[in-house]
Amino acid sequence: MIALTRPVSPSIVRCELTHLARESIDFGLAVGQHGEYESVLADLGCDVRRLPAEPDLPDSVFVEDAAIVLDECAIITRPGAQSRRPETPSVAAALEAYRSLLHRIEEPGTLDGGDLLTVGRTIYAGLSSRSDAGVIEQLRFAAGRYGYRVKPVAVSRCLHLKSAATRVGPGTLLVNRRWVDASLFGEMELIDVDPAEPMAANALLVGGSVVYPAAFPLTRERLEKRGILVRTVDLTELAKAEGAATCCSLIFRELSGG
Ligand code: CIR
């Protein structure tokens, strides 16, 4: 597995915020926590490769939003926040080394990678303040030819679909049902976040383990009770920028022949 990451930008103090009030971010601590996150990914078997730093792009550490990487191709997004659009060219340039086919979301559609949840051959696409219904057809055009179904999912009161639901096992999702209609996920097994931890649904499944913020001990206990292996990381500073576990990396299989 390859994990693409990007250094935390010193301008993160000017990040986009939608649901949180601005709090001061300790840049040194954010860098340390991000480094710890990268070490955990490496420990779990990822080959961690850092994209070039983008010191003038406040949210550039959140690389997940710039692309979705499937085995067959990569789709470069067009982020919903104007300030984040300059993040995509360097991500696209890096992905050219791994996928021979790159599709691009075209204007006027907007899409953040945080709104895409892939489960097997289904891509759930969150309709949020960042991603609009117009991209559904673009996603179907790009991924449908490889047998992927694209299912739109309304999300409310949170930033992205993956703020409300993420994979924690092959057929298991961690969900906050207050932010997404979980009946859309059909036969999947669901684990609810602890009601005292509404922000706790974002977990990053890597191999057989889940990379998970230390800030949500009650939900962590629920995961462990279900036999899920959890690796906790402290992400307090990136959380102040509305970042979480999935958004700091793009993880995909390295395929021979690109
Ligand atoms: C933003 O508002 O775009 C950033 N401050 C946070 C993005 C987090 N991305 C993600 O969870 N996929």
Side-chain angles (χ1 to χ4, degrees):
M1 302 290 279
I2 304 286
L4 293 187
T5 63
R6 169 134 57 200
V8 184
S9 158
S11 60
I12 192 166
V13 293
R14 298 195 303 275
C15 67
E16 295 283 341
L17 286 176
T18 309
H19 297 276
L20 293 183
R22 199 166 295 278
E23 276 185 77
S24 72
I25 295 176
D26 180 333
F27 176 65
L29 186 54
V31 169
Q33 292 179 343
H34 184 254
E36 186 56 35
Y37 170 88
E38 290 177 318
S39 305
V40 170
L41 293 185
D43 238 36
L44 294 176
C46 294
D47 183 350
V48 179
R49 299 188 185 168
R50 287 190 143 199
L51 293 162
E54 291 275 18
D56 297 326
L57 299 179
D59 284 305
S60 53
V61 64
F62 303 125
V63 290
E64 170 185 64
D65 292 317
I68 172 175
V69 187
L70 305 172
D71 281 352
E72 299 83 356
C73 67
I75 302 171
I76 309 302
T77 65
R78 183 169 178 271
Q82 182 92 40
S83 71
R84 301 204 56 191
R85 294 195 188 140
E87 294 175 28
T88 57
S90 57
V91 172
L95 287 174
E96 273 171 10
Y98 304 102
R99 295 293 183 270
S100 46
L101 254 173
L102 258 54
H103 299 277
R104 285 181 171 74
I105 296 299
E106 303 289 350
E107 206 177 335
T110 63
L111 175 69
D112 281 12
D115 275 314
L116 300 175
L117 172 66
T118 306
V119 182
R121 293 270 139 182
T122 302
I123 301 174
Y124 295 98
L127 304 181
S128 67
S129 61
R130 297 290 175 83
S131 304
D132 62 42
V135 295
I136 300 298
E137 281 316 311
Q138 294 193 43
L139 284 170
R140 286 186 175 137
F141 178 78
R145 70 189 80 177
Y146 309 114
Y148 292 91
R149 295 182 305 164
V150 180
K151 285 192 169 184
V153 179
V155 293
S156 58
R157 290 180 286 160
C158 60
L159 186 58
H160 290 127
L161 172 59
K162 275 189 274 191
S163 317
T166 52
R167 292 174 66 229
V168 289
T172 311
L173 294 180
L174 177 62
V175 295
N176 177 340
R177 295 178 203 243
R178 283 179 280 183
W179 293 347
V180 70
D181 175 3
S183 68
L184 295 167
F185 299 122
E187 299 301 295
M188 297 203 58
E189 198 179 324
L190 302 178
I191 301 178
D192 290 283
V193 296
D194 189 282
E197 297 176 339
M199 312 279 275
N202 187 275
L204 173 63
L205 182 65
V206 183
S209 299
V210 158
V211 181
Y212 195 65
F216 308 119
L218 301 174
T219 305
R220 175 192 176 168
E221 208 179 304
R222 290 180 176 218
L223 294 171
E224 288 177 333
K225 276 196 182 135
R226 299 283 276 265
I228 292 166
L229 296 174
V230 180
R231 287 288 301 264
T232 51
V233 282
D234 232 324
L235 291 174
T236 56
E237 300 313 292
L238 296 171
K240 292 177 190 168
E242 285 189 57
T246 60
C247 57
C248 298
S249 54
L250 271 170
I251 298 184
F252 52 86
R253 291 205 290 180
E254 184 164 36
L255 305 171
S256 49

Short mmCIF file of all heavy atoms in Angstrom, two decimals, residues 147-186:
data_model
loop_
_atom_site.label_atom_id
_atom_site.label_comp_id
_atom_site.label_asym_id
_atom_site.label_seq_id
_atom_site.Cartn_x
_atom_site.Cartn_y
_atom_site.Cartn_z
N GLY A 147 -17.30 -0.87 -13.51
CA GLY A 147 -18.25 -1.66 -12.72
C GLY A 147 -18.60 -1.05 -11.38
O GLY A 147 -19.23 -1.71 -10.55
N TYR A 148 -18.20 0.20 -11.14
CA TYR A 148 -18.58 0.84 -9.87
C TYR A 148 -19.97 1.45 -9.99
O TYR A 148 -20.31 2.06 -11.01
CB TYR A 148 -17.59 1.95 -9.49
CG TYR A 148 -16.22 1.45 -9.12
CD1 TYR A 148 -15.22 1.33 -10.10
CD2 TYR A 148 -15.92 1.09 -7.83
CE1 TYR A 148 -13.96 0.86 -9.78
CE2 TYR A 148 -14.66 0.62 -7.48
CZ TYR A 148 -13.68 0.50 -8.47
OH TYR A 148 -12.44 0.04 -8.14
N ARG A 149 -20.75 1.29 -8.91
CA ARG A 149 -22.03 1.99 -8.82
C ARG A 149 -21.81 3.22 -7.97
O ARG A 149 -21.10 3.14 -6.95
CB ARG A 149 -23.07 1.13 -8.09
CG ARG A 149 -23.45 -0.15 -8.80
CD ARG A 149 -24.51 -0.87 -7.99
NE ARG A 149 -24.09 -1.11 -6.60
CZ ARG A 149 -24.91 -1.43 -5.62
NH1 ARG A 149 -26.21 -1.53 -5.85
NH2 ARG A 149 -24.46 -1.66 -4.39
N VAL A 150 -22.39 4.34 -8.36
CA VAL A 150 -22.24 5.56 -7.55
C VAL A 150 -23.59 5.87 -6.92
O VAL A 150 -24.59 6.04 -7.63
CB VAL A 150 -21.76 6.73 -8.43
CG1 VAL A 150 -21.62 8.00 -7.58
CG2 VAL A 150 -20.43 6.39 -9.11
N LYS A 151 -23.63 5.91 -5.60
CA LYS A 151 -24.89 6.16 -4.89
C LYS A 151 -24.81 7.48 -4.15
O LYS A 151 -24.00 7.61 -3.22
CB LYS A 151 -25.14 5.06 -3.85
CG LYS A 151 -25.57 3.75 -4.44
CD LYS A 151 -26.07 2.87 -3.29
CE LYS A 151 -26.77 1.64 -3.81
NZ LYS A 151 -27.33 0.84 -2.71
N PRO A 152 -25.65 8.45 -4.50
CA PRO A 152 -25.65 9.71 -3.75
C PRO A 152 -26.23 9.52 -2.35
O PRO A 152 -27.16 8.74 -2.16
CB PRO A 152 -26.56 10.63 -4.58
CG PRO A 152 -27.22 9.78 -5.59
CD PRO A 152 -26.59 8.42 -5.62
N VAL A 153 -25.65 10.21 -1.40
CA VAL A 153 -26.07 10.11 0.00
C VAL A 153 -26.14 11.53 0.57
O VAL A 153 -25.15 12.25 0.54
CB VAL A 153 -25.03 9.33 0.84
CG1 VAL A 153 -25.47 9.25 2.29
CG2 VAL A 153 -24.79 7.94 0.28
N ALA A 154 -27.32 11.91 1.08
CA ALA A 154 -27.42 13.25 1.68
C ALA A 154 -26.75 13.24 3.05
O ALA A 154 -26.92 12.30 3.82
CB ALA A 154 -28.89 13.63 1.83
N VAL A 155 -25.93 14.26 3.31
CA VAL A 155 -25.36 14.40 4.66
C VAL A 155 -25.73 15.78 5.18
O VAL A 155 -25.83 16.74 4.41
CB VAL A 155 -23.82 14.22 4.70
CG1 VAL A 155 -23.41 12.82 4.37
CG2 VAL A 155 -23.11 15.19 3.79
N SER A 156 -25.98 15.85 6.47
CA SER A 156 -26.34 17.16 7.02
C SER A 156 -25.64 17.36 8.36
O SER A 156 -25.33 16.39 9.06
CB SER A 156 -27.85 17.26 7.21
OG SER A 156 -28.28 16.23 8.05
N ARG A 157 -25.39 18.59 8.68
CA ARG A 157 -24.83 19.01 9.97
C ARG A 157 -23.38 18.57 10.18
O ARG A 157 -22.85 18.61 11.28
CB ARG A 157 -25.70 18.54 11.15
CG ARG A 157 -27.02 19.31 11.18
CD ARG A 157 -27.88 18.87 12.33
NE ARG A 157 -28.47 17.57 12.07
CZ ARG A 157 -28.94 16.77 13.00
NH1 ARG A 157 -28.87 17.11 14.27
NH2 ARG A 157 -29.48 15.62 12.67
N CYS A 158 -22.73 18.06 9.14
CA CYS A 158 -21.30 17.75 9.28
C CYS A 158 -20.61 18.10 7.96
O CYS A 158 -21.27 18.38 6.96
CB CYS A 158 -21.08 16.28 9.63
SG CYS A 158 -21.70 15.14 8.40
N LEU A 159 -19.28 18.09 7.97
CA LEU A 159 -18.54 18.58 6.81
C LEU A 159 -18.67 17.64 5.61
O LEU A 159 -18.99 18.05 4.50
CB LEU A 159 -17.07 18.79 7.19
CG LEU A 159 -16.18 19.43 6.13
CD1 LEU A 159 -16.71 20.79 5.71
CD2 LEU A 159 -14.75 19.55 6.64
N HIS A 160 -18.38 16.37 5.83
CA HIS A 160 -18.31 15.41 4.72
C HIS A 160 -19.05 14.11 5.07
O HIS A 160 -19.28 13.82 6.26
CB HIS A 160 -16.84 15.02 4.47
CG HIS A 160 -15.99 16.11 3.90
ND1 HIS A 160 -14.80 16.50 4.46
CD2 HIS A 160 -16.15 16.88 2.79
CE1 HIS A 160 -14.25 17.46 3.73
NE2 HIS A 160 -15.05 17.72 2.70
N LEU A 161 -19.32 13.30 4.05
CA LEU A 161 -19.89 11.98 4.30
C LEU A 161 -19.00 11.20 5.28
O LEU A 161 -19.50 10.52 6.19
CB LEU A 161 -20.02 11.21 2.98
CG LEU A 161 -20.41 9.73 3.10
CD1 LEU A 161 -21.76 9.57 3.81
CD2 LEU A 161 -20.45 9.07 1.71
N LYS A 162 -17.67 11.30 5.10
CA LYS A 162 -16.80 10.52 5.99
C LYS A 162 -16.65 11.12 7.38
O LYS A 162 -15.96 10.55 8.22
CB LYS A 162 -15.45 10.25 5.31
CG LYS A 162 -15.55 9.00 4.41
CD LYS A 162 -14.22 8.54 3.87
CE LYS A 162 -13.90 9.27 2.62
NZ LYS A 162 -12.74 8.71 1.88
N SER A 163 -17.32 12.26 7.64
CA SER A 163 -17.46 12.70 9.04
C SER A 163 -18.54 11.84 9.70
O SER A 163 -18.61 11.75 10.93
CB SER A 163 -17.92 14.16 9.14
OG SER A 163 -17.25 14.99 8.23
N ALA A 164 -19.43 11.26 8.89
CA ALA A 164 -20.60 10.55 9.41
C ALA A 164 -20.52 9.04 9.28
O ALA A 164 -21.24 8.32 9.99
CB ALA A 164 -21.86 11.03 8.67
N ALA A 165 -19.67 8.53 8.39
CA ALA A 165 -19.59 7.09 8.18
C ALA A 165 -18.26 6.72 7.55
O ALA A 165 -17.86 7.32 6.54
CB ALA A 165 -20.72 6.62 7.26
N THR A 166 -17.57 5.74 8.15
CA THR A 166 -16.33 5.23 7.55
C THR A 166 -16.25 3.72 7.75
O THR A 166 -16.91 3.16 8.63
CB THR A 166 -15.06 5.87 8.18
OG1 THR A 166 -15.13 5.74 9.60
CG2 THR A 166 -14.91 7.32 7.78
N ARG A 167 -15.39 3.09 6.98
CA ARG A 167 -15.22 1.64 7.08
C ARG A 167 -14.31 1.31 8.26
O ARG A 167 -13.27 1.93 8.44
CB ARG A 167 -14.58 1.10 5.81
CG ARG A 167 -15.49 1.19 4.60
CD ARG A 167 -14.75 0.76 3.35
NE ARG A 167 -14.40 -0.64 3.43
CZ ARG A 167 -13.19 -1.14 3.19
NH1 ARG A 167 -12.20 -0.35 2.85
NH2 ARG A 167 -12.97 -2.43 3.27
N VAL A 168 -14.71 0.31 9.06
CA VAL A 168 -13.84 -0.16 10.14
C VAL A 168 -13.59 -1.67 10.03
O VAL A 168 -12.97 -2.27 10.89
CB VAL A 168 -14.40 0.20 11.54
CG1 VAL A 168 -14.29 1.70 11.79
CG2 VAL A 168 -15.85 -0.25 11.70
N GLY A 169 -14.11 -2.27 8.97
CA GLY A 169 -13.90 -3.69 8.72
C GLY A 169 -14.42 -3.98 7.33
O GLY A 169 -15.07 -3.10 6.73
N PRO A 170 -14.19 -5.17 6.81
CA PRO A 170 -14.59 -5.46 5.42
C PRO A 170 -16.07 -5.17 5.16
O PRO A 170 -16.42 -4.61 4.14
CB PRO A 170 -14.28 -6.96 5.26
CG PRO A 170 -13.40 -7.32 6.40
CD PRO A 170 -13.56 -6.30 7.49
N GLY A 171 -16.94 -5.54 6.11
CA GLY A 171 -18.37 -5.29 5.88
C GLY A 171 -18.95 -4.43 6.98
O GLY A 171 -20.16 -4.49 7.25
N THR A 172 -18.14 -3.62 7.63
CA THR A 172 -18.60 -2.89 8.82
C THR A 172 -18.31 -1.40 8.69
O THR A 172 -17.21 -0.99 8.31
CB THR A 172 -17.88 -3.43 10.08
OG1 THR A 172 -17.97 -4.84 10.09
CG2 THR A 172 -18.50 -2.88 11.34
N LEU A 173 -19.32 -0.61 9.05
CA LEU A 173 -19.17 0.86 9.05
C LEU A 173 -19.35 1.39 10.47
O LEU A 173 -20.18 0.89 11.22
CB LEU A 173 -20.24 1.52 8.17
CG LEU A 173 -20.22 1.27 6.67
CD1 LEU A 173 -21.39 2.04 6.03
CD2 LEU A 173 -18.90 1.72 6.05
N LEU A 174 -18.58 2.42 10.78
CA LEU A 174 -18.77 3.20 12.00
C LEU A 174 -19.61 4.41 11.60
O LEU A 174 -19.23 5.12 10.66
CB LEU A 174 -17.40 3.63 12.54
CG LEU A 174 -17.38 4.52 13.78
CD1 LEU A 174 -18.00 3.81 14.99
CD2 LEU A 174 -15.93 4.92 14.10
N VAL A 175 -20.74 4.63 12.26
CA VAL A 175 -21.66 5.68 11.79
C VAL A 175 -22.16 6.59 12.91
O VAL A 175 -22.29 6.18 14.06
CB VAL A 175 -22.92 5.09 11.09
CG1 VAL A 175 -22.58 4.37 9.82
CG2 VAL A 175 -23.73 4.20 12.02
N ASN A 176 -22.47 7.80 12.51
CA ASN A 176 -23.26 8.72 13.33
C ASN A 176 -24.58 8.90 12.60
O ASN A 176 -24.64 9.64 11.60
CB ASN A 176 -22.53 10.05 13.51
CG ASN A 176 -23.39 11.04 14.31
OD1 ASN A 176 -24.61 10.88 14.41
ND2 ASN A 176 -22.75 12.05 14.86
N ARG A 177 -25.62 8.20 13.07
CA ARG A 177 -26.90 8.21 12.34
C ARG A 177 -27.61 9.55 12.37
O ARG A 177 -28.60 9.73 11.67
CB ARG A 177 -27.85 7.16 12.95
CG ARG A 177 -27.37 5.75 12.78
CD ARG A 177 -28.35 4.81 13.46
NE ARG A 177 -27.68 3.57 13.78
CZ ARG A 177 -28.03 2.39 13.25
NH1 ARG A 177 -29.03 2.30 12.44
NH2 ARG A 177 -27.37 1.31 13.60
N ARG A 178 -27.12 10.46 13.21
CA ARG A 178 -27.76 11.77 13.24
C ARG A 178 -27.36 12.60 12.03
O ARG A 178 -27.97 13.60 11.70
CB ARG A 178 -27.41 12.51 14.54
CG ARG A 178 -28.24 11.96 15.70
CD ARG A 178 -27.89 12.65 17.00
NE ARG A 178 -26.66 12.08 17.55
CZ ARG A 178 -26.14 12.43 18.72
NH1 ARG A 178 -26.71 13.36 19.44
NH2 ARG A 178 -25.04 11.86 19.16
N TRP A 179 -26.29 12.19 11.36
CA TRP A 179 -25.78 12.99 10.24
C TRP A 179 -25.99 12.33 8.87
O TRP A 179 -25.75 12.95 7.85
CB TRP A 179 -24.28 13.26 10.45
CG TRP A 179 -24.00 14.16 11.62
CD1 TRP A 179 -24.90 14.92 12.31
CD2 TRP A 179 -22.73 14.42 12.21
NE1 TRP A 179 -24.26 15.63 13.30
CE2 TRP A 179 -22.93 15.35 13.26
CE3 TRP A 179 -21.42 13.97 11.95
CZ2 TRP A 179 -21.89 15.83 14.06
CZ3 TRP A 179 -20.38 14.44 12.74
CH2 TRP A 179 -20.61 15.37 13.79
N VAL A 180 -26.37 11.06 8.89
CA VAL A 180 -26.57 10.35 7.62
C VAL A 180 -27.63 9.28 7.81
O VAL A 180 -27.76 8.73 8.91
CB VAL A 180 -25.22 9.75 7.14
CG1 VAL A 180 -24.77 8.59 8.01
CG2 VAL A 180 -25.28 9.31 5.68
N ASP A 181 -28.41 9.03 6.76
CA ASP A 181 -29.43 7.98 6.83
C ASP A 181 -28.75 6.62 6.61
O ASP A 181 -28.47 6.23 5.48
CB ASP A 181 -30.48 8.25 5.74
CG ASP A 181 -31.52 7.15 5.67
OD1 ASP A 181 -31.46 6.20 6.49
OD2 ASP A 181 -32.38 7.22 4.78
N ALA A 182 -28.51 5.93 7.73
CA ALA A 182 -27.70 4.71 7.67
C ALA A 182 -28.41 3.57 6.95
O ALA A 182 -27.77 2.59 6.55
CB ALA A 182 -27.30 4.29 9.07
N SER A 183 -29.73 3.69 6.72
CA SER A 183 -30.43 2.60 6.02
C SER A 183 -29.93 2.49 4.57
O SER A 183 -30.09 1.46 3.93
CB SER A 183 -31.94 2.84 6.06
OG SER A 183 -32.26 3.96 5.27
N LEU A 184 -29.30 3.55 4.08
CA LEU A 184 -28.77 3.51 2.71
C LEU A 184 -27.62 2.52 2.55
O LEU A 184 -27.26 2.14 1.44
CB LEU A 184 -28.26 4.91 2.32
CG LEU A 184 -29.33 5.98 2.23
CD1 LEU A 184 -28.70 7.36 2.17
CD2 LEU A 184 -30.17 5.73 0.99
N PHE A 185 -27.03 2.12 3.69
CA PHE A 185 -25.87 1.25 3.59
C PHE A 185 -26.23 -0.24 3.54
O PHE A 185 -25.36 -1.11 3.66
CB PHE A 185 -24.89 1.53 4.75
CG PHE A 185 -24.37 2.95 4.72
CD1 PHE A 185 -24.55 3.80 5.79
CD2 PHE A 185 -23.72 3.43 3.59
CE1 PHE A 185 -24.09 5.11 5.76
CE2 PHE A 185 -23.26 4.75 3.55
CZ PHE A 185 -23.45 5.59 4.64
N GLY A 186 -27.53 -0.51 3.38
CA GLY A 186 -28.00 -1.87 3.08
C GLY A 186 -27.58 -2.89 4.11
O GLY A 186 -27.85 -2.73 5.30
#
